[in-house]
Amino acid sequence: MDKLFLEDRVLLQVEKPARYIGNEVNAIYKNKEEVAIRFALCFPDVYDIGMSHLGLSILYNLLNQRDDLWCERVFSPWVDLDRIMEEENIPLFALESQEPIKTFDFIGITIQYEMCYTNILRILDLAQIPLLSKDRTEDHPLVCAGGPCVYNPEPISDFIDFFYIGEGEVQLDALMDAYKHHRENGGTKKAFLEIAATIEGIYVPSFYNVSYYEDGTIERFVPNHPKAKPQVKKVIMMDMTQSRYPMKPIVPYIQTVHDRVVLELFRGCARGCRFCQAGIIYRPVREKDLEILKEQAIEIVKNTGHDEISLISLSSSDYSQLNALASYLIEAPELAHVNLSLPSLRIDDFSIELMRKVQDVRKSSLTFAPEAGSQRMRDVINKNISEEDILQGAYEAFMGGWNRVKMYFMLGLPTETEEDVLAIPKLGQDIVNKWFTMPGDMRKQRLQIVLSTSFFIPKPFTPFQWMGQASSDTFLEKAKLINKNINKKNIKYNSHDADTSRIEGVLARGDRKLNEVILKVYQKGARYDAWSEHFNVTLWNEAFDELNMDSGFYNERRRELEEILPWDFIDTGVKKSFLYDEFLLAKEGKTTVNCMEGCTNCGAMCFEGGICYARKT
Amino acid sequence: MLVRLKFKKEGPIRFVGHLDMMRTFQKMFTRAGIPIAYSEGFNPHQIFSFASALAVGVSSESEYMDVKLTEDVAINVLIEAINLKAPEGIFFLDGVEIDNKETSAMASVVAATYRIEVLNSIITEDMLSAMMSQETLIIRKKNKKGKINDFDLRPGIINILLKDKHLIMTIANGSHFNIKPEMVLEKLLALNDLNYVRCDYRFHRVEIYHDHNGLRPLLEVKLGL
């Protein structure tokens, strides 16, 4: 493809013009005259971030396996190009064909974090497509969305025509088949929504009505269309070994966040940390077979030329074949010049030994995520790691040659006291003390500990979904308390932005009334809210004020069990009663076994596979 | 085995900058499965180097690189293998085995020829001859330490002419004496009270030279000099 949509004049004005030229190795080109469906697959953030996302690569591969469809990529133009496109009225285009997306059949948006909602509106706006679903006509693409955020789709339900709840491998083909058939028979795009609504996992928000009590909570959530299902059940891929994995992922020209081969070990997580949404919505754990992973590693390296392989999952230590896989990847002659990187490991002797084998100790720092400082607090969140584990892990790491340690914590967890907060700097200090128990000749380098806190955000489909989020002021006080008590000699302390956490908390558990707020914030100029240098909380505060709405209703308010939550109509397989039982156990500081140790009957067994059954055989 | 390869860079990939080209070529060599040599040490990397960096947005029909291989491969076989895996817009044209003692492409570059398409500006023969008749062409240039110094372009302009709306210039390039084509353009316009605007021109590199009894394209080396 020699065609570029942007003129040289424009490309020469912007930072990293290679973000906008397509043409990368393994990008897929088709003859647009020969395809029935044009699909713009969109990640609403900058190219460098979006191209690092495995889900996007999986969907791109999946959709393009169809001969009748051309799936192309769209990312948010960076702020420099954004400005030029606005000034010169340049429509947003797809990277492959370098053609405007406003005439495509579909715009499919993957939504990975709430703070990109204004970027979604920006994408539609730059594409010159009406923002509101109801204002779009047959001349416009159908706009659909998927990803973890759509487990509560309500805050953006006015902008999206339909949502896909679950994993793309399962229903995308059926959906596209149905669309093609419908269009060939002369059906309209609007009418296609009625067909989509009947497909499992698909939610068409305009087919439902929501009424509210005076206090703003939901009175009724009911279908207004005969084709609309009262409950929308997520769809997930049960046989991960047979799932279609991208063997020829695109190789970006520019440095992206993850510039390497990514091997997906399994989906789901057995751990059951009570703050973690991913740990619930992706249940049950479904592993990929060791042999297929070995084959895929070799072939993807051959097809991309990457010099690093990364293992990805929610908790890589829990992969039953981790040792065998890591040994193979280290020793395979085909991978002689390929490094292995191992994120998301639990800290124990085994993983320290493994990391020592594969990583350059001098360059890498070791990351621990105890999430909470005190044992009591870790029991509340069901993070089953003891202080002894952490200190012993740190000691092993120091003896292994590491002198840089990063630690992640959350502030504002349910039932948190001052004592729990102070346990964070204390744990940091205990680790410093561990360092000094090492023989002197092991301590030639300077110890560097970085301690980071983020603010706890209750998310839908977690046992904490009923909890109130702490106010920004409370967060800042807690952060200040840590800062005052930290030993600054060896420990560096970072704290996340409280305003961002507040807005994320609002959006995460929002209802349909938030559509108006998001639209207003967007119109006020909000862009790239996920980027601290672009996030402007004033715009959000103004929007709430002007609409006479209270953001605290969404994030700080404590919900009752009886309340209809905006996302209750989605069925993740995990029962609401299980979440509530977990909530009660949390308040008592009682832990729950993980799925490897025993079944807690959460409900995910309804998918008839994965760890729920593997454990039994 | 040490080889010097010649390739062209055309089309959209001209917007990929020098450092990204290095990464792109590393991956290309891995995909091509050629027996490229790796450096020793903790962090082994492929042993290859470009003759001269090409600025973002500039295309070229003659780029050069030196590549070290662990075993002998016929040049045409090597080029075929690489071209099969090269990204669109990169095409390897030719190559030659060079002696280990040969000065590296990077160190031996002395000059380069550019063809600059004048898209939206007026440049005349008179402007060129007026400029070339000057003894010195002083510009202000930041050195590596960020200090601004006077710098004379004139000795670096080996040849400059106008041909069907294209400015063709051969100028000094390399580590000893390096000037950029836009410096010449900027000076040329300044002498005529005009401003230089980057997007009024399209830059294309035609050739890169070393000094082998006069300016010779980099591929012209004698084995075992």
Side-chain angles (χ1 to χ4, degrees):
Chain A
M1 272 292 294
D2 243 5
K3 189 167 107 186
L4 286 176
F5 185 67
L6 297 173
E7 297 171 36
D8 283 23
R9 172 182 66 78
V10 175
L11 286 166
L12 287 166
Q13 276 179 68
V14 300
E15 190 189 309
K16 303 189 192 173
R19 283 168 173 159
Y20 312 110
I21 63 174
N23 260 296
E24 307 95 321
V25 165
N26 296 337
I28 294 172
Y29 286 83
K30 297 187 182 182
N31 182 346
K32 65 176 175 179
E33 311 301 337
E34 286 169 11
V35 295
I37 306 170
R38 300 283 300 269
F39 197 110
L41 180 61
C42 163
F43 192 103
D45 207 316
V46 73
Y47 177 95
D48 327 18
I49 307 282
M51 280 305 290
S52 302
H53 185 246
L54 174 62
L56 193 85
S57 173
I58 290 176
L59 295 172
Y60 182 79
N61 171 63
L62 206 64
L63 286 164
N64 275 318
Q65 284 182 350
R66 298 177 66 99
D67 291 332
D68 59 358
L69 181 150
W70 187 8
C71 171
E72 308 177 47
R73 293 160 298 151
V74 176
F75 300 97
S76 299
W78 187 239
V79 290
D80 51 1
L81 179 60
D82 181 288
R83 204 175 309 118
I84 297 172
M85 290 175 83
E86 171 157 309
E87 280 165 13
E88 303 191 14
N89 209 24
I90 300 172
L92 188 63
F93 56 96
L95 292 186
E96 281 78 1
S97 65
Q98 298 273 313
E99 289 179 346
I101 59 172
K102 60 183 161 193
T103 58
F104 278 34
D105 296 279
F106 290 96
I107 296 182
I109 306 169
T110 175
I111 312 182
Q112 299 296 315
Y113 29 88
E114 291 84 356
M115 298 310 283
C116 72
Y117 287 172
T118 52
N119 267 32
I120 295 175
L121 298 198
R122 187 58 182 162
I123 293 238
L124 297 177
D125 214 359
L126 284 173
Q128 304 178 352
I129 294 167
L131 301 181
L132 295 171
S133 179
K134 68 176 171 57
D135 295 338
R136 294 195 284 263
T137 68
E138 284 303 302
D139 297 333
H140 301 114
L142 284 163
V143 178
C144 54
C149 286
V150 310
Y151 282 82
N152 177 17
E154 294 298 84
I156 47 172
S157 56
D158 288 353
F159 314 115
I160 308 291
D161 299 323
F162 68 91
F163 292 91
Y164 184 118
I165 318 292
E167 296 168 357
E169 289 95 336
V170 187
Q171 292 290 26
L172 268 179
D173 267 327
L175 198 67
M176 292 301 122
D177 285 342
Y179 177 77
K180 194 177 158 195
H181 182 74
H182 173 74
R183 295 291 277 171
E184 280 168 357
N185 291 324
T188 62
K189 286 181 186 162
K190 285 277 172 202
F192 173 68
L193 292 177
E194 298 183 10
I195 299 169
T198 63
I199 295 175
E200 199 172 354
I202 304 298
Y203 167 55
V204 181
S206 58
F207 292 169
Y208 298 79
N209 286 345
V210 187
S211 58
Y212 301 92
Y213 292 114
E214 221 161 89
D215 66 3
T217 59
I218 295 173
E219 183 191 14
R220 272 155 59 84
F221 177 97
V222 282
N224 63 26
H225 193 284
K227 295 275 176 69
K229 314 170 272 276
Q231 283 270 310
V232 181
K233 189 169 185 183
K234 80 172 180 200
V235 286
I236 54 169
M237 193 61 203
M238 293 313 294
D239 187 351
M240 282 305 296
T241 300
Q242 295 301 317
S243 75
R244 292 174 283 166
Y245 200 68
M247 300 311 293
K248 291 180 128 193
I250 294 173
V251 186
Y253 288 122
I254 64 167
Q255 181 101 50
T256 53
V257 179
H258 301 303
D259 178 24
R260 52 199 178 210
V261 172
V262 177
L263 279 187
E264 186 180 23
L265 304 182
F266 59 90
R267 289 196 189 152
C269 178
R271 294 279 157 187
C273 298
R274 291 178 179 133
F275 56 86
C276 180
Q277 186 189 42
I280 300 290
I281 62 176
Y282 299 131
R283 281 187 183 209
V285 168
R286 294 149 284 149
E287 283 198 349
K288 259 172 97 165
D289 178 69
L290 171 67
E291 295 308 316
I292 210 88
L293 286 172
K294 288 182 187 172
E295 283 168 30
Q296 292 183 347
I298 304 276
E299 197 178 334
I300 301 172
V301 166
K302 215 168 84 190
N303 290 339
T304 59
H306 279 295
D307 59 6
E308 187 175 340
I309 295 177
S310 171
L311 305 182
I312 189 170
S313 71
L314 289 168
S315 174
S316 297
S317 296
D318 293 338
Y319 181 55
S320 61
Q321 307 287 320
L322 182 64
N323 204 2
L325 179 63
S327 307
Y328 177 81
L329 297 177
I330 294 165
E331 283 152 25
E334 296 95 325
L335 302 175
H337 294 288
V338 180
N339 294 318
L340 177 61
S341 80
L342 298 163
S344 327
L345 285 189
R346 285 173 77 83
I347 300 302
D348 51 33
D349 296 358
F350 165 70
S351 26
I352 296 278
E353 186 49 40
L354 190 59
M355 278 185 273
R356 206 149 59 125
K357 257 196 260 176
V358 304
Q359 254 147 342
D360 185 351
V361 172
R362 295 168 312 142
K363 286 199 309 183
S364 67
S365 64
L366 208 67
T367 304
F368 293 76
E371 311 290 2
S374 69
Q375 193 58 49
R376 190 196 74 81
M377 199 76 261
R378 283 194 296 274
D379 289 345
V380 168
I381 61 177
N382 205 40
K383 181 88 190 180
N384 285 311
I385 179 169
S386 71
E387 182 144 333
E388 182 56 32
D389 294 339
I390 297 168
L391 292 177
Q392 189 56 32
Y395 188 75
E396 298 284 341
F398 294 152
M399 291 296 283
W402 273 276
N403 64 319
R404 289 189 294 160
V405 177
K406 282 193 252 177
M407 301 183 77
Y408 290 100
F409 298 93
M410 277 185 283
L411 285 177
L413 286 164
T415 76
E416 186 179 62
T417 63
E418 190 173 308
E419 208 176 312
D420 297 315
V421 176
L422 286 171
I424 294 173
K426 184 178 173 299
L427 185 57
Q429 186 55 43
D430 289 344
I431 289 180
V432 173
N433 296 344
K434 266 281 175 208
W435 169 264
F436 285 105
T437 63
M438 275 201 309
D441 61 332
M442 295 293 294
R443 288 186 270 119
K444 286 197 181 112
Q445 279 172 306
R446 213 179 111 80
L447 172 66
Q448 296 173 47
I449 293 181
V450 179
L451 211 152
S452 298
T453 57
S454 62
F455 298 121
F456 168 63
I457 300 167
K459 293 271 166 121
F461 296 111
T462 66
F464 296 146
Q465 64 177 355
W466 294 277
M467 287 292 309
Q469 187 185 9
S471 69
S472 295
D473 289 345
T474 315
F475 279 148
L476 293 175
E477 276 165 35
K478 289 175 196 255
K480 218 186 268 171
L481 187 64
I482 293 183
N483 202 31
K484 224 168 54 189
N485 285 279
I486 214 132
N487 166 3
K488 299 214 170 66
K489 209 172 142 213
N490 296 97
I491 305 177
K492 187 172 176 281
Y493 174 54
N494 297 323
S495 171
H496 204 255
D497 177 48
D499 285 324
T500 307
S501 306
R502 189 187 110 224
I503 300 302
E504 188 183 327
V506 168
L507 296 175
R509 289 188 296 165
D511 57 22
R512 290 191 171 189
K513 288 174 279 181
L514 283 186
N515 280 281
E516 227 183 329
V517 178
I518 295 167
L519 182 60
K520 204 171 207 38
V521 173
Y522 170 70
Q523 286 163 343
K524 286 172 174 291
R527 311 277 184 272
Y528 280 103
D529 283 321
W531 294 66
S532 55
E533 67 265 44
H534 295 294
F535 174 67
N536 181 353
V537 74
T538 313
L539 302 179
W540 288 89
N541 291 339
E542 284 172 8
F544 276 105
D545 286 348
E546 286 165 28
L547 293 164
N548 253 321
M549 286 172 68
D550 171 20
S551 66
F553 173 82
Y554 295 102
N555 74 323
E556 291 180 26
R557 184 173 61 92
R558 162 84 198 268
R559 280 105 168 133
E560 296 304 324
L561 177 62
E562 298 73 35
E563 183 175 334
I564 297 175
L565 303 172
W567 52 90
D568 273 352
F569 71 95
I570 289 176
D571 180 3
T572 65
V574 177
K575 291 174 291 190
K576 197 173 178 182
S577 59
F578 168 78
L579 297 177
Y580 199 73
D581 289 344
E582 280 291 290
F583 174 51
L584 297 178
L585 288 171
K587 286 205 287 191
E588 292 170 41
K590 287 188 180 148
T591 59
T592 298
V593 294
N594 67 47
C595 304
M596 293 172 289
E597 297 161 336
C599 181
T600 51
N601 196 21
C602 72
M605 204 180 252
C606 68
F607 293 103
E608 296 179 347
I611 196 170
C612 311
Y613 290 82
R615 212 175 42 80
K616 294 217 164 88
T617 54
Chain B
M1 179 190 193
L2 202 56
V3 291
R4 181 161 301 167
L5 300 173
K6 176 182 177 180
F7 62 95
K8 61 179 182 177
K9 181 184 183 188
E10 281 167 347
I13 202 170
R14 70 185 183 281
F15 287 102
V16 178
H18 182 64
L19 288 177
D20 290 331
M21 284 305 289
M22 303 265 295
R23 298 174 341 96
T24 296
F25 272 47
Q26 276 165 24
K27 295 187 173 92
M28 172 183 73
F29 290 140
T30 302
R31 288 195 303 274
I34 60 164
I36 192 161
Y38 280 79
S39 66
E40 306 281 325
F42 275 109
N43 222 337
H45 56 268
Q46 296 177 354
I47 303 178
F48 69 81
S49 59
F50 290 108
S52 173
L54 196 61
V56 172
V58 182
S59 56
S60 172
E61 61 196 67
S62 308
E63 291 301 292
Y64 298 90
M65 67 189 310
D66 291 346
V67 181
K68 192 173 179 187
L69 301 173
T70 55
E71 52 191 85
D72 289 358
V73 184
I75 296 288
N76 60 337
V77 172
L78 182 72
I79 286 179
E80 202 174 314
I82 300 172
N83 277 338
L84 220 52
K85 299 294 175 182
E88 184 144 342
I90 296 294
F91 189 79
F92 283 76
L93 300 158
D94 203 353
V96 61
E97 182 177 357
I98 56 173
D99 192 89
N100 278 327
K101 285 182 250 113
E102 180 74 31
T103 316
S104 74
M106 195 195 288
S108 54
V109 173
V110 294
T113 300
Y114 291 87
R115 186 171 68 232
I116 300 157
E117 188 180 353
V118 183
L119 300 169
N120 183 33
S121 153
I122 293 168
I123 288 171
T124 62
E125 303 270 6
D126 290 347
M127 286 163 71
L128 292 184
S129 47
M131 177 175 76
M132 293 304 281
S133 64
Q134 308 252 348
E135 295 262 306
T136 59
L137 291 167
I138 305 296
I139 62 162
R140 311 280 285 164
K141 189 189 169 192
K142 243 189 222 170
N143 69 10
K144 276 180 188 151
K145 286 174 190 153
K147 211 181 139 203
I148 294 172
N149 285 323
D150 281 352
F151 179 83
D152 184 9
L153 288 179
R154 185 60 190 85
I157 306 176
I158 298 161
N159 188 16
I160 187 164
L161 59 95
L162 198 60
K163 202 176 163 187
D164 332 313
K165 288 201 92 181
H166 286 79
L167 197 56
I168 297 167
M169 60 170 90
T170 301
I171 55 179
N173 192 303
S175 49
H176 307 294
F177 188 25
N178 191 48
I179 64 175
K180 296 177 184 162
E182 57 264 38
M183 291 176 183
V184 179
L185 264 176
E186 205 171 339
K187 185 67 185 175
L188 177 67
L189 293 162
L191 289 172
N192 294 278
D193 295 321
L194 294 167
N195 275 329
Y196 166 73
V197 180
R198 168 67 179 89
C199 50
D200 288 344
Y201 310 90
R202 180 172 283 175
F203 292 78
H204 176 80
R205 185 141 74 185
V206 180
E207 190 53 87
I208 307 176
Y209 311 94
H210 57 173
D211 188 355
H212 251 51
N213 303 319
L215 294 186
R216 298 273 173 209
L218 277 176
L219 217 51
E220 289 184 22
V221 286
K222 273 191 217 141
L223 256 178
L225 269 181

